[in-house]
Structures are given as C-alpha cells and as structure tokens.
Amino acid sequence: MSDAAQPTAAEVRAAAEAVKTALDRHLAAVERRSGEDDPAVYEAFNQLAAAAEAYDELLYDRYDEVTPFEIPGAEDAPPYTGPEEPTALSVLIRRDYAVVEPQRLRAHAQRIEAADDETSEASGTVHGALGLLFGEFEPDEIASRHKEFGLEEGDSTLWVTASDDPAEPGEWLEAPFEQVDPQQVVCRFDVSAVFDDDEDLDDDEEDLEDELDPSLDEDGDLEPLDADR
C-alpha cells in the first residue's frame, strides 16, 4: 500500500452514496429520454462513470479492494461485421501510467533482484526497474497495485475482436496492433480521466448559476450587501 494519507471510511462511504445518487439520476434521465442522442442521458452517463471511478479509487486506497466498474467505449463505433459465430478472438489492452514515485519503483525492483539473487543492478534506473517489475508481476496485478509500485494510472482501453481462424504462432508479434479491424470489435471498454474533467466543468457551471440566479432565493429577493463589510 502507498504511504500517502489514506481516505477515511466516511469518505469511502460518501463516494458510495455518490454512485447511488448518480445511478438514480442516470435511470431518471433514461426514463425521460427525448431521443436517441438525448444530451441529458449522455451527461448522466458521464456523471455516473466519474462517480464510479472515484469510488473505485477510494475503495482501493482504503481497503485494497476494487470494483467491476468499467466505462464502455463510444456508442458511435462502426457496426460489427465480423463472424456471427467466431471461433477465435483477440484481446487488446493498453494501460497508461505515469512514474510518480521513482524511488518507490526502484525499491520494489531491488527487492525483486534480492529475492532472485540477481547482480545486474538493473534496479538502479527507472527503465531497468520497470523491466524487472513487469517481468515479475502480471499486468493485471500491476494494474491493481500500481500505487504501491509508485505509478499513477492514466487512460486505459480493452478491445475484444473476433475472427474465424486463430492466428498462426508468431505471425503478428512484430506489429501486434497494426491490423485491428474496427468492424470486428465485439466490445470495448475505456477508462479515462476525461470523465472526471467533464464532471468538474459541470460542477463549476452549476456553482456559477447558483451565484447568479436570484430565483434560487426563496423570497425571490437578493440579500442586500452590508456596506460595513
């Protein structure tokens, strides 16, 4: 676990309540949908995505636990034209990280070297430490423990593509992502901080409206300013 200050149990509980509220708002927006591209549904979707991501992060920081929440990809993806009954599939995953605590990363790499009785001293550099880290742990474990390793999550995406025939061994290893056909993507899941940015902008706009809209005062009148203040 990270040495950074952990969120309190109350903060985790508040984040969970925010997810529940966002779920209710999303359902209400869907029930009032005015058309296929209703902006209210889109906004409620983004708010729910941001609330779920915030809860997931706090839950991990406090209890070292995660949720199954993931953000679906864009609805305007090209239509699927792959096989109706595929006999093979490919899973393409990209996860971005920032190295925010290189000393923590190198410390973990040094422990890996010590456990393996290595003398390469690769842990003395960030790129060497990364090689040791990803050589020791599966990518999914690194994703769940990234803060412990001194990393910060960026955007991530997962694509599942279908085909009729499995690839021949070794045929795509030199360029693993160059031949992806978007129309053979069965499903995709994206996670991005942009959802948080959208929510922050919405909150700022609401705060500004609250400050400027006199109708929010129950009596319909603005409180006079105190000239002595």
Side-chain angles (χ1 to χ4, degrees):
M1 294 293 294
S2 172
D3 294 335
Q6 291 185 345
T8 64
E11 289 174 326
V12 178
R13 173 63 60 181
E17 293 298 326
V19 173
K20 298 175 187 178
T21 300
L23 275 169
D24 290 337
R25 289 176 178 171
H26 182 260
L27 177 58
V30 171
E31 291 172 338
R32 297 192 303 266
R33 183 193 298 271
S34 60
E36 185 175 349
D37 296 321
D38 190 336
V41 175
Y42 180 78
E43 179 180 358
F45 173 90
N46 284 340
Q47 290 176 349
L48 175 57
E53 186 174 359
Y55 171 62
D56 189 277
E57 292 180 357
L58 291 174
L59 188 70
Y60 177 82
D61 289 347
R62 176 69 184 183
Y63 299 110
D64 199 20
E65 188 55 73
V66 296
T67 72
F69 299 151
E70 287 184 299
I71 311 306
E75 295 182 359
D76 57 355
Y80 175 73
T81 60
E84 289 298 324
E85 298 183 4
T87 58
L89 62 88
S90 297
V91 180
L92 296 89
I93 301 174
R94 171 173 172 169
R95 298 186 179 113
D96 284 2
Y97 298 95
V99 180
V100 293
E101 295 182 85
Q103 70 282 3
R104 181 182 294 277
L105 173 65
R106 288 195 295 267
H108 272 281
Q110 289 166 3
R111 286 195 285 272
I112 293 171
E113 282 185 324
D116 294 340
D117 197 23
E118 292 282 347
T119 58
S120 65
E121 298 184 356
S123 60
T125 64
V126 170
H127 72 272
L130 287 170
L132 287 168
L133 184 70
F134 280 87
E136 180 72 13
F137 299 105
E138 293 292 331
D140 287 344
E141 183 171 3
I142 293 175
S144 66
R145 299 172 59 188
H146 63 278
K147 291 185 178 180
E148 180 182 342
F149 299 135
L151 305 175
E152 182 179 278
E153 278 186 322
D155 291 354
S156 65
T157 187
L158 180 151
W159 294 26
V160 179
T161 66
S163 61
D164 284 320
D165 300 307
E168 292 294 329
E171 71 175 355
W172 52 260
L173 292 180
E174 291 186 0
F177 303 113
E178 286 187 355
Q179 299 178 351
V180 179
D181 183 353
Q183 291 188 304
Q184 290 189 332
V185 174
V186 178
C187 58
R188 62 175 288 182
F189 300 93
D190 300 316
V191 178
S192 175
V194 71
F195 294 111
D196 293 333
D197 295 340
D198 289 342
E199 184 179 60
D200 291 342
L201 290 173
D202 292 338
D203 291 342
D204 291 343
E205 291 175 357
E206 289 176 3
D207 292 342
L208 183 59
E209 290 175 358
D210 291 347
E211 293 176 3
L212 298 179
D213 189 354
S215 64
L216 296 177
D217 182 76
E218 293 182 357
D219 299 328
D221 297 325
L222 292 175
E223 181 181 359
L225 294 175
D226 187 344
D228 295 333
R229 285 188 293 180

